[in-house]
Amino acid sequence: VIGHIAGLVAQATENSIWTGAGATGGQFEGFTTATTGILPVAADFVEVNTSAAYSKTNIIAELEAVLDATSSAVLAKTDFALYVSPKTAFFYQQHLGKEGYSNDYQANAKPANIYGYPIYACPGMPDNQIVATYESNLVFGSNIQTNLTEVRTIDMSPIDGSDNVRFIMRYAAGVQVGVGADVYWGAA
């Protein structure tokens, strides 16, 4: 049961990394949260207008638009990558299958890279968005290895006579961008 609860907390944390709202209980400010996120507030990222909602027919053009806008210095970083939602990553896989990648078509997994640059599917990231930067530029921090965190199970039967169990997980987390101008953010 604790493993299941921890999985739910992990998914909520992943959602907060990309779209969390600090004003909402249990969340922290995410990278791409509409008006209050780390990137929109800093406003020093490079905005790339991608044309339409992503699909298997236009995903290559959308990825290329972001790559075309990315500076040579950022592309040259050894940990440069593209960060997308699972749905966007699926459209890329669909496109490769449709085009018959290695004569595999819809069978087997396809590479998760374009022109040698990795594409990471990030659960919690909104659809129709691409973030291009180097991995070391996106920072996640937490206090998990301090004495300020807590995971506890509370048996409610001696308290209220019920057969309920409650779980408590207390920790702090947040995200930050090292160099905002090195982030290229494409959104439809």
Side-chain angles (χ1 to χ4, degrees):
V1 174
I2 292 175
H4 175 72
I5 299 296
L8 296 173
V9 171
Q11 181 58 53
T13 302
E14 186 75 31
N15 290 340
S16 283
I17 287 172
W18 295 101
T19 59
T24 302
Q27 295 184 12
F28 52 89
E29 211 58 58
F31 287 122
T32 62
T33 308
T35 56
T36 59
I38 303 301
L39 292 172
V41 168
D44 57 352
F45 65 93
V46 179
E47 184 175 4
V48 180
N49 290 320
T50 52
S51 61
Y54 302 165
S55 70
K56 67 182 175 186
T57 57
N58 71 359
I59 190 59
I60 298 297
E62 306 304 345
L63 290 165
E64 286 178 337
V66 174
L67 286 169
D68 289 347
T70 305
S71 73
S72 294
V74 172
L75 287 171
K77 298 284 188 180
T78 57
D79 57 346
F80 175 79
L82 299 156
Y83 301 87
V84 300
S85 73
K87 186 69 170 183
T88 301
F90 173 69
F91 287 144
Y92 182 67
Q93 293 289 306
Q94 269 189 316
H95 176 80
L96 292 179
K98 180 182 72 124
E99 296 298 317
Y101 175 81
S102 289
N103 292 320
D104 245 353
Y105 294 90
Q106 284 75 25
N108 302 316
K110 312 297 182 268
N113 70 66
I114 184 167
Y115 309 124
Y117 298 115
I119 299 172
Y120 295 127
C122 303
M125 188 169 182
D127 292 337
N128 301 314
Q129 295 189 18
I130 301 166
V131 171
T133 191
Y134 41 99
E135 185 178 336
S136 55
N137 199 29
L138 302 177
V139 181
F140 172 80
S142 74
N143 70 340
I144 289 179
Q145 294 186 348
T146 70
N147 61 354
L148 300 175
T149 60
E150 176 181 23
V151 176
R152 191 171 8 153
T153 304
I154 301 172
D155 178 4
M156 296 301 291
S157 59
I159 298 169
D160 63 7
S162 70
D163 289 332
N164 295 325
V165 176
R166 293 189 182 176
F167 296 93
I168 297 172
M169 291 188 174
R170 291 190 177 112
Y171 68 98
V175 294
Q176 195 54 261
V177 172
V179 180
D182 287 352
V183 176
Y184 296 79
W185 184 13

